Amino acid sequence: MVAPGWDAGRIYTWGVRELDATEPVSPRLVGMLSVLVTDSGRGEIGFWLAPDARGRGTMHRALAAVIELLFDPDGPFALPVLGWACLIDDGAPNWASWRTAWRLGFVREGRRRGVFRKNGRSYDEWTGSLLAHEPREPAAPWDGPEPVAG
């Protein structure tokens, strides 16, 4: 699944690994992040992190590094903008996903209705974006619930 995306020059996926003090030679896979490059040259980023790896800034650091690579004007991607989205399930958005994106400067743009279907059900999503020249810090105050400590 990963290699064909890279070969096609359209979907780029990275594994997110954490060092384990008991297994320093074999970092443990705890998540993934990927970017789909659209025909217009916009990147759409997605990510997940295992529950037991949350709350330590792992995904924040991984995303920050990949975002810098994606926006580097002299790099292999040189993207002008990254999009982000999260599903709204039973009225609740994925607050952890939004907090991760928000901390890196993404601006929430709005809600798209019925954009995703799963098991015969439609879901809304929140969308946001980050432009290459924008700072990698929150653009507005946090607007969600306080995070639960991991």
Side-chain angles (χ1 to χ4, degrees):
M1 177 177 137
V2 173
W6 281 85
D7 292 343
R10 185 156 167 93
I11 302 173
Y12 302 95
T13 303
W14 290 266
V16 178
R17 297 183 178 272
E18 268 187 335
L19 293 178
D20 181 338
T22 62
E23 297 288 335
V25 253
S26 180
R28 182 173 70 101
L29 180 69
V30 295
M32 296 191 75
L33 65 98
S34 65
V35 65
L36 164 70
V37 178
T38 67
D39 292 337
S40 66
R42 175 185 170 102
E44 296 291 339
I45 201 156
F47 50 90
W48 65 265
L49 192 66
D52 65 331
R54 296 175 186 163
R56 296 190 293 272
T58 301
M59 185 54 72
H60 178 84
R61 290 187 303 277
L63 277 172
V66 169
I67 287 169
E68 290 310 310
L69 174 67
L70 294 170
F71 283 155
D72 181 352
D74 299 319
F77 302 98
L79 297 179
V81 62
L82 280 175
W84 161 90
C86 78
L87 290 184
I88 300 172
D89 189 3
D90 291 331
N94 184 334
W95 287 110
S97 178
W98 170 232
R99 187 163 179 90
T100 301
W102 167 82
R103 284 184 63 212
L104 288 163
F106 281 78
V107 173
R108 195 168 67 224
E109 297 170 333
R111 181 179 189 145
R112 292 183 357 147
R113 299 182 307 155
V115 72
F116 186 79
R117 286 196 58 81
K118 179 176 153 186
N119 298 326
R121 187 168 163 217
S122 291
Y123 294 85
D124 294 356
E125 72 176 7
W126 274 354
T127 63
S129 64
L130 177 65
L131 304 179
H133 68 274
E134 292 177 326
R136 310 298 186 262
E137 59 189 36
W142 174 242
D143 59 352
E146 286 305 309
V148 177

